[in-house]
Amino acid sequence: MLNTLSRVIVPHVADACAIYLIPEFADRSPASSVAEKVACTTRDGLPPSAPLGTEHFAPGSGFVEAVRTRRPVRHTFPAGAPPARLVSPGTKDWFARAGTNSMALVPVVVDGALAAVVATMVCGSRRPIDAADIDLLGRLLDHAHQHLSNALRFQQTQRVALALQHCLLPDPPDVPGVQICARYRPSGPGAEIGGDWYDSFRLPGGATILTVGDVAGHDLDAAVTMSQLRNMLRSLAADRDESPGHILRRLDMVVEALYDGGLLATCILARLEESGDHWRLRYSVAGHPPPLLVTSAGEGRYLEDATDPLLGVVTDRRRTSAVEVLPPDSTLLLYTDGLGEAVGVPLPGAGPSWAHLPTADRHAAVGHPLAGSPTRPRSPRAW
């Protein structure tokens, strides 16, 4: 909706339009000098605009004035030479290259709260923005009020879901002899929010739990369900000294009781323990892409000896567990299917895949070497 609105404004009213959301909209306490640009349109022939994202505005800028007064602010100036205080540092170069001669900043109030600011720019020899243009913009925004309200609330919900998700992604524990690393990155635009999670923690007996899971969806419901499953799995893993398969079997029963077949989720649950002079991994897979084990020589293979259906799908059968001795200086990779989507590499069952990639390509995909200096000689790494 916000992109559609900007495309209506350009080119009929202005040559460029950017829409900024005001932080803390839900709390009715907007931050006056920071805003998030969420939509932008420029007419053909103009330089590409600065990327979407957070922008900072000086206290005396026109943007801050529009936020503070909740009234439109209009400025006309020589083409390509806006006053320094008027624009953010990241857009000053664009104003110069586009030959911008005027701009208007129109605050958007939704349900009594300042929700957004619509910035419009006119460039080159076109007539500068005048009071009639601002009046037209105001009537256009009034006409789109209900749709705009829904779109802004959706954006706010997405931000809440993203904050919830990141709060539930912990720092890995320090485990002597093991290097545990974690990366969380969206697979592409629009996929920042969803039901993917990872977790890692130590049990009282010294074993380390590693888990990665995925709840279907890219919205607040998926993020909330993810948090529920993650916390339930934590409790079940700490409650008894059981194999990963037994723990996931108990999670199946909980999922069946609470979600009544309305949940689509996968996960890997692994238990890492030191046994003499080697490390032993016990694991169980519930409908999830299998773990990838990479040796110090760069040879990879999937661990597929304990693969079972998705969580909650089959509750009248036991889940399997498998044991794998990790070679010295090896790397264990737990991941979601988004990793394959992000780099265009098929997952197991779809032809040549991660296990057959050159080591350097696997490094690039996760944004960090899969092999490096261990915390102590001959120690495994887990991702």
Side-chain angles (χ1 to χ4, degrees), residues 146-374:
Q146 186 58 51
H147 297 294
L148 190 58
S149 175
N150 292 339
L152 292 170
R153 291 191 180 282
F154 175 77
Q155 293 276 353
Q156 175 66 15
T157 300
Q158 294 293 86
R159 291 207 301 269
V160 170
L162 187 60
L164 171 64
Q165 190 169 35
H166 281 279
C167 285
L168 294 171
L169 300 177
D171 292 330
D174 293 326
V175 180
V178 179
Q179 187 179 28
I180 302 177
C181 304
R183 292 289 183 274
Y184 184 88
R185 294 180 180 176
S187 60
E192 292 87 353
I193 301 159
D196 293 11
W197 89 87
Y198 65 82
D199 200 4
S200 179
F201 55 92
R202 300 194 71 181
L203 297 175
T208 300
I209 294 294
L210 306 170
T211 181
V212 167
D214 185 4
V215 174
H218 291 286
D219 53 20
L220 182 57
D221 286 343
V224 170
T225 303
M226 172 271 291
S227 71
Q228 294 169 343
L229 281 183
R230 169 198 178 266
N231 291 336
M232 286 189 290
L233 188 54
R234 268 197 163 214
S235 299
L236 294 173
D239 179 51
R240 303 176 193 173
D241 187 7
E242 291 183 321
S243 69
H246 280 90
I247 295 171
L248 291 183
R249 174 72 180 89
R250 288 201 287 147
L251 184 60
D252 277 332
M253 293 162 37
V254 175
V255 167
E256 182 184 32
L258 297 183
Y259 297 98
D260 194 26
L263 177 67
L264 185 63
T266 69
C267 83
I268 299 172
L269 179 63
R271 179 184 174 113
L272 184 63
E273 297 176 278
E274 192 170 15
S275 179
D277 60 352
H278 63 269
W279 288 87
R280 182 180 64 186
L281 182 79
R282 289 195 289 171
Y283 68 95
S284 184
V285 180
H288 200 86
L292 174 64
L293 181 62
V294 183
T295 68
S296 59
E299 298 175 351
R301 64 182 176 89
Y302 293 109
L303 306 184
E304 299 180 286
D305 293 337
T307 301
D308 291 312
L310 283 67
L311 290 171
V313 172
V314 180
T315 59
D316 59 353
R317 57 175 280 186
R318 293 180 178 273
R319 287 192 176 272
T320 57
S321 297
V323 178
E324 185 76 26
V325 175
L326 302 183
D329 290 326
S330 61
T331 297
L332 177 72
L333 180 67
L334 309 183
Y335 55 96
T336 64
D337 55 8
L339 183 59
E341 296 168 4
V343 295
V345 178
L347 295 175
S353 57
W354 272 78
H356 304 97
L357 273 182
T359 302
D361 291 345
R362 291 193 293 257
H363 292 180
V366 298
H368 193 282
L370 285 175
S373 301

